[in-house]
Amino acid sequence: CVNRLKTLADADVFDIGEILTPEISKALLILINEQPASTDYFCKIASCVPNANSLLTETEGYLLDDRRAIYSWQNYNLWLLFTSKGYITDELVKCALNRIQSDITSPEIPAIFIYLGKSGRSDLLEPYIDSFDRNWSYQHQRSFLIATQDMQENVLRRLLPKIGYRLNGTVRRIKENKALTDKYYYRAPIGDITEIFDQISPYD
């Protein structure tokens, strides 16, 4: 249901903001607290709501609470939600840095890298260039490169000897792709309503 709802909302079939009542928003927030495994569905709905600031503010409070935000996979999805909505706050930036300092190999860190890049604070990642390691997961390495793409060339040169062959050209390809309107976070749009049946899978 969520997948279909999101697809229809993305195609501008209706304004999802009109049906996201305070009661539904409250139910969604309960969902991420009581059913962390459903966070990806929560994020799908929240990502296509035009004016979701109140929902995002409540979600921020959840992510900032280390007693509740204990699942890396859930946190990863929430960081990408904030990135997709351009929801940037000083508290989240501070939290992002604390999480990196706590454990840079944590599964949520790639999304944090992207969040900091999108926020325009990629300079905060400069101290971690020396920590960049080929033993990091592929996603860690790729996300770090994407997040730091706008740093000064003389700074990025320190990364060159550490980049494996699979990641060569990552930033170059991003910058050369004129179709990308957001070079940190990209979600393929659904165009004409008639394309829905071609794009939606049987699972959706």
Side-chain angles (χ1 to χ4, degrees), residues 35-55:
Q35 297 185 42
S38 298
T39 299
D40 54 336
Y41 291 103
F42 166 81
C43 292
K44 283 181 179 182
I45 291 293
S47 68
C48 58
V49 177
N51 300 307
N53 278 350
S54 60
L55 184 61

Side-chain angles (χ1 to χ4, degrees), residues 149-188:
Q149 62 183 285
D150 288 328
M151 283 186 180
Q152 296 295 321
E153 287 189 15
N154 62 316
V155 175
L156 291 178
R157 282 195 199 100
R158 290 156 50 193
L159 273 174
L160 291 178
K162 303 182 177 188
I163 299 175
Y165 74 92
R166 292 189 302 166
L167 289 161
N168 278 335
T170 296
V171 173
R172 174 179 52 77
R173 288 191 296 272
I174 291 173
K175 292 190 173 182
E176 289 176 353
N177 190 340
K178 303 302 181 184
L180 293 179
T181 55
D182 186 333
K183 298 186 183 298
Y184 292 99
Y185 183 90
Y186 176 75
R187 186 181 66 184

Side-chain angles (χ1 to χ4, degrees), residues 70-142:
I70 59 175
Y71 302 104
S72 294
W73 179 84
Q74 181 183 53
N75 296 348
Y76 175 90
N77 279 279
L78 294 178
W79 285 113
L80 289 185
L81 169 64
F82 292 136
T83 301
S84 71
K85 301 298 286 182
Y87 183 83
I88 313 298
T89 70
D90 291 340
E91 285 301 313
L92 281 174
V93 170
K94 181 180 177 181
C95 175
L97 289 175
N98 287 339
R99 300 272 171 93
I100 292 174
Q101 291 166 4
S102 175
D103 181 8
I104 202 169
T105 62
S106 168
E108 72 180 284
I109 298 301
I112 287 177
F113 288 157
I114 297 297
Y115 179 81
L116 289 175
K118 173 75 173 182
S119 72
R121 298 306 311 274
S122 61
D123 59 298
L124 297 174
L125 294 174
E126 185 175 342
Y128 298 98
I129 288 179
D130 294 329
S131 302
F132 186 93
D133 194 323
R134 290 191 187 186
N135 291 324
W136 282 2
S137 72
Y138 175 81
Q139 194 173 15
H140 270 73
Q141 295 180 61
R142 187 170 186 275

Side-chain angles (χ1 to χ4, degrees), residues 2-33:
V2 168
N3 286 335
R4 293 179 182 182
L5 181 65
K6 178 181 179 299
T7 300
L8 292 169
D10 282 344
D12 289 329
V13 174
F14 63 89
D15 181 4
I16 194 172
E18 291 183 357
I19 67 168
L20 198 68
T21 63
E23 290 77 18
I24 293 178
S25 296
K26 183 177 179 180
L28 287 171
L29 290 166
I30 292 173
L31 183 73
I32 63 171
N33 188 49

